[in-house]
Amino acid sequence: FSPGMDSAGPIDWSTALRGWTFADVLTAFEALPESLQQPLHAALTTAPKPVPPPAPWAVAGGSVSWLLDELGLSGLYGSTFAEYGVETVAQMLGPEGGDPSALIASLRELGVTRDHRDKIERLARSPRPCGASGGCFDRAFLAACRPLHAQHMGCENMGPLLYSLVRFTKARHVLEVGAGYTSVWILQALADNDAELAACAAAVATDGYTVA
């Protein structure tokens, strides 16, 4: 605790811990009596983890306006959803994908007819990919690539190019002569192809979605 803090009032932890490193927090925690460490540890380990946002290429990562356009229902419900501030599919589904019955009830309150409710709910939960499973845009992937970069080779331009070519052609196998910086981009593209094609197959099984 910082000197002068009012111990009787609520603690503003963002102010109290400003400038602290993780090591500082760990040291302070270990300095606490065992009787305090145990309940704090239990509270921290059982606290619910934040729900990660849906992937940009998933249906849940899209907008409600896109979903309604896809179903040809924008003219009927577009203004209603906009009036109530329902802008994204994830928002419509609710936390962690939401309860199907709760979604149906919400759509009923918005005046959506039964047959249209079923169509909206089915597409909102569909595994179909709405874009590329772009693993190359992940920060962890880019960080892993960094040590492989050779400044004089110009391969920082070839990696994304080869990634895009493999993704566009949906290749399942690639023969590369030599290995280096570009290899990880090709491997990531192959992994993303498998993920996208698997999502397409799952969508065909669940809602008949096919790619023309």
Side-chain angles (χ1 to χ4, degrees):
F1 298 97
S2 299
M5 288 183 61
D6 182 7
S7 59
I11 300 172
D12 181 358
W13 289 108
S14 62
T15 300
L17 299 179
R18 184 174 299 156
W20 284 41
T21 65
F22 178 77
D24 294 333
V25 176
L26 184 59
T27 300
F29 179 81
E30 292 176 343
L32 293 172
E34 186 70 23
S35 59
L36 288 178
Q37 286 190 32
Q38 290 181 354
L40 281 173
H41 184 269
L44 289 172
T45 54
T46 58
K49 296 180 179 179
V51 179
W57 49 84
V59 172
S63 65
V64 167
S65 61
W66 167 84
L67 184 140
L68 294 177
D69 284 342
E70 183 77 4
L71 295 172
L73 299 177
S74 294
L76 288 173
Y77 306 114
S79 58
T80 302
F81 277 82
E83 180 181 351
Y84 282 86
V86 184
E87 300 177 350
T88 68
V89 178
Q91 178 186 0
M92 183 175 68
L93 290 172
E96 300 186 54
D99 174 15
S101 60
L103 173 60
I104 293 297
S106 297
L107 293 174
R108 186 186 298 114
E109 292 177 2
L110 291 172
V112 180
T113 61
R114 180 174 182 177
D115 58 331
H116 292 162
R117 290 197 298 268
D118 292 340
K119 290 180 179 179
I120 290 174
E121 199 267 343
R122 190 179 306 116
L123 178 54
R125 299 185 186 282
S126 170
R128 77 165 69 175
C130 299
S133 303
C136 76
F137 303 109
D138 183 76
R139 291 180 64 89
F141 171 78
L142 295 173
C145 287
R146 179 84 183 227
L148 304 176
H149 177 232
Q151 190 69 38
H152 61 282
M153 295 293 290
C155 56
E156 71 277 5
N157 299 313
M158 288 302 298
L161 172 63
L162 293 174
Y163 175 89
S164 298
L165 288 174
V166 174
R167 292 291 285 121
F168 182 74
T169 58
K170 296 296 182 285
R172 306 299 292 266
H173 306 281
V174 172
L175 172 62
E176 183 183 21
V177 180
Y181 180 81
T182 55
S183 302
V184 292
W185 291 82
I186 294 172
L187 289 170
Q188 184 63 56
L190 291 172
D192 289 345
N193 282 349
D194 283 347
E196 185 174 2
L197 293 173
C200 285
V204 171
T206 55
D207 64 8
Y209 169 75
T210 57
V211 179

